[in-house]
Amino acid sequence: MRLIAETPTMIATFDRLRTGQDVIPPNPSLSHAGNFLWMLHGDEPDPEDARVLDTTFVLYADHTMNASTFTARVIASTLSDMFSAITGAIGALKGPLHGGANEEAQKMAEEVGKAENAEAYVRERLANHQKIMGFGHAVYTTMDPRATVLKQVCKELGERRNQPKWYEIFSALEETTLEQKGLYPNVDLYAAGVYHMLGIPTDLMTPLFALARMAGWTAHVREQYADNRIIRPGSTYVGPPARSYVPIEERS
Ligand SMILES: CC(C)(COP(=O)(O)OP(=O)(O)OC[C@H]1O[C@@H](n2cnc3c(N)ncnc32)[C@H](O)[C@@H]1OP(=O)(O)O)[C@@H](O)C(=O)NCCC(=O)NCCS
């Protein structure tokens, strides 16, 4: 409970301090999401914005045995403490192939600049064997169901904010990436556009993912402790077969 409650305060306080602004203490009368917007921006949060942010938190909260959750469970399975398990999970999450992808997706949208450039951008990256961030998934082979929800949220938020550009860029990227590589968006593509329009700085997008996933990680760690057995996968040796040892003085 403390980790879930304090992470938003840490992230918002970090941003206020680095931008030379006063720190805003949490307001316990606000929702988890509304309180984060309050501590970050210092304005009474728009209830609709808080609802949108809450939707992203729910969608990011847990997702079976993803890399960071698995990391947390491996650490917990040694009977190490909760904080160590969560620290490890954050380390796994920040990689661009996992939670770091939302920041990369936003940088990509900014580089693309407008929907008309999406096709050339995707074509060039694929030709150079580079990844298109926010696309593909280790488990889903069709559209990530979380992306379906966030696509609609991104569209509606863009209309409400009079900023249709982000939805247009992301949906043009979606169309052309599907066409050219058969890949569908994952959760991080439209989440980036939503966070950007909520005024979240790009380098706080992955910390926000961690904030939301804290609920899932801590629940998994508790579950691990409740019925623990150390997680110790095996591995298959594929190196050279056993060789005979020749004492050094007998070597030519
Ligand atoms: C998520 C991810 C790591 C899954 O990787 P994976 O399980 O190895 O993916 P697949 O086995 O389905 O990949 C099949 C092929 O598509 C390619 N591919 C997968 N995702 C791609 C992407 N985003 N852009 C370009 N090519 C991609 C792979 O390189 C592979 O190509 P190959 O057959 O020519 O070697 C991968 O899709 C990726 O790196 N995505 C971008 C990062 C991202 O958005 N991460 C957030 C995940 S929620």
Side-chain angles (χ1 to χ4, degrees):
M1 287 287 282
R2 271 202 303 129
L3 281 168
I4 294 168
E6 289 175 0
T7 309
T9 312
M10 280 190 272
I11 296 171
T13 301
F14 163 72
D15 191 62
R16 301 286 298 183
L17 290 175
R18 72 173 175 170
T19 50
Q21 301 181 81
D22 292 339
V23 170
I24 299 174
N27 178 347
S29 72
L30 294 170
S31 66
H32 195 50
N35 183 47
F36 177 76
L37 290 173
W38 160 245
M39 290 188 294
L40 186 72
H41 296 315
D43 309 317
E44 192 68 31
D46 177 304
E48 199 48 36
D49 285 353
R51 197 186 63 79
V52 164
L53 186 62
D54 189 52
T55 303
T56 71
F57 287 176
V58 170
L59 294 171
Y60 266 147
D62 189 32
H63 203 226
T64 71
M65 207 49 68
N66 56 87
S68 56
T69 300
F70 181 65
T71 304
R73 287 192 80 132
V74 169
I75 295 171
S77 83
T78 69
L79 296 184
S80 185
D81 62 284
M82 172 70 88
F83 298 100
S84 300
I86 297 304
T87 304
I90 291 171
L93 184 84
K94 87 186 254 264
L97 299 189
H98 187 11
N102 58 10
E103 294 183 13
E104 297 304 320
Q106 181 56 29
K107 289 180 205 158
M108 166 178 73
E110 283 167 23
E111 196 181 329
V112 169
K114 54 183 179 182
E116 295 74 44
N117 298 340
E119 193 181 336
Y121 175 89
V122 170
R123 208 171 282 287
E124 192 187 328
R125 278 191 82 87
L126 291 177
N128 294 329
H129 305 287
Q130 289 170 301
K131 290 268 172 87
I132 318 289
M133 303 315 275
F135 286 88
H137 198 273
V139 177
Y140 298 124
T141 50
T142 56
M143 183 100 157
D144 181 334
R146 302 167 298 174
T148 308
V149 176
L150 288 174
K151 181 176 180 179
Q152 187 60 25
V153 169
C154 182
K155 184 168 191 277
E156 288 168 8
L157 182 61
E159 284 163 4
R160 190 158 58 80
R161 284 286 165 88
N162 204 14
Q163 284 184 55
K165 166 181 162 178
W166 301 107
Y167 175 79
E168 285 165 12
I169 294 173
F170 285 120
S171 53
L173 286 164
E174 176 185 340
E175 200 178 309
T176 189
T177 305
L178 180 60
E179 211 173 81
Q180 294 181 36
K181 184 77 185 173
L183 288 169
Y184 290 87
N186 59 50
V187 66
D188 292 309
L189 186 76
Y190 288 100
V194 170
Y195 283 166
H196 182 78
M197 286 187 275
L198 289 177
I200 311 289
T202 302
D203 65 353
L204 289 194
M205 291 181 183
T206 305
L208 236 68
F209 189 157
L211 180 168
R213 187 56 60 92
M214 197 61 73
W217 288 332
T218 49
H220 272 274
V221 170
R222 285 163 57 90
E223 192 178 74
Q224 188 65 37
Y225 287 149
D227 185 18
N228 189 55
R229 182 149 180 222
I230 193 161
I231 299 173
R232 204 300 192 185
S235 58
T236 307
Y237 176 72
V238 293
R243 285 151 294 169
S244 52
Y245 175 74
V246 182
I248 199 150
E249 58 279 6
E250 292 171 24
R251 292 183 203 171
S252 52

